[in-house]
Amino acid sequence: MSDANSALITRFYQAFQRLDAEAMTACYTDDVVFSDPAFGTLRGRDAGDMWRMLASRAKDFSLTFDGVRSDERSGGAHWVATYLFSQTGNIVVNDIQARFVFRDGLMCEHHDSFDLWRWARQALGTKGLLLGWTPLVQGKVRQQALKGLKAFQSSPRA
């Protein structure tokens, strides 16, 4: 089972490298719980739509991953995404640790952790450097991420 779960994690990140959000979300249960510092906690369809949104908007994107590990119930990986943050034109290199919980051969939980202040320094420039550590700016980042997701979900997609 752990080999199957490691293969699932690998399949997820290989799909991410191709920006294939449908293949990524096929690795999730319908009731998946996703969390990260930027979006907070998303459930079910919202988690899949986050990947659809990010994949559809990705510019100058690359991803590497390593450290894939798993057992029958849980697993993890390390991944690094490099991309152009469109709101500022800054390049971001986001270094992330992922944890997963598995059920019925799929991911039922996916938790990404990264330094939001480090991300803000890269994405937002001077403002992120000076204020990115504050709850106010971190809350604004989450608010903007969720606002973008809601706008994506309400827009007609091809």
Side-chain angles (χ1 to χ4, degrees):
M1 183 69 154
S2 64
D3 286 346
N5 288 338
S6 290
L8 181 66
I9 294 170
T10 298
R11 189 163 65 247
F12 178 86
Y13 286 113
Q14 287 173 338
F16 199 177
Q17 288 174 321
R18 299 187 310 271
L19 296 173
D20 184 347
E22 296 310 316
M24 292 170 70
T25 60
C27 297
Y28 283 166
T29 60
D30 289 341
D31 63 345
V32 68
V33 175
F34 171 87
S35 68
D36 83 355
F39 285 90
T41 300
L42 301 173
R43 298 177 189 284
R45 177 112 182 132
D46 288 345
D49 283 347
M50 176 203 59
W51 294 122
R52 290 178 185 94
M53 176 185 75
L54 294 175
S56 71
R57 296 179 179 174
K59 302 273 190 271
D60 297 329
F61 177 84
S62 68
L63 181 135
T64 60
F65 68 97
D66 58 32
V68 172
R69 63 203 176 282
S70 70
D71 58 29
E72 295 76 27
R73 175 156 165 56
S74 62
H78 167 253
W79 60 283
V80 177
T82 303
Y83 57 92
L84 179 75
F85 185 64
S86 61
Q87 293 177 14
T88 60
N90 293 338
I91 295 292
V92 172
V93 179
N94 203 7
D95 191 315
I96 300 163
Q97 290 294 326
R99 292 182 301 109
F100 303 97
V101 176
F102 305 105
R103 185 179 72 232
D104 300 327
L106 296 171
M107 300 168 178
C108 63
E109 291 185 30
H110 177 178
H111 305 284
D112 281 346
S113 60
F114 59 88
D115 183 337
L116 190 55
W117 185 21
R118 183 176 188 273
W119 179 90
R121 290 192 309 262
Q122 295 177 75
L124 305 176
T126 303
K127 177 182 175 184
L129 172 66
L130 298 176
L131 300 172
W133 60 273
T134 65
L136 180 68
V137 171
Q138 292 187 1
K140 187 72 168 169
V141 166
R142 277 188 283 284
Q143 181 183 30
Q144 286 300 109
L146 292 172
K147 181 179 176 185
L149 178 57
K150 295 303 176 200
F152 176 80
Q153 290 174 318
S154 65
S155 68
R157 288 175 266 169

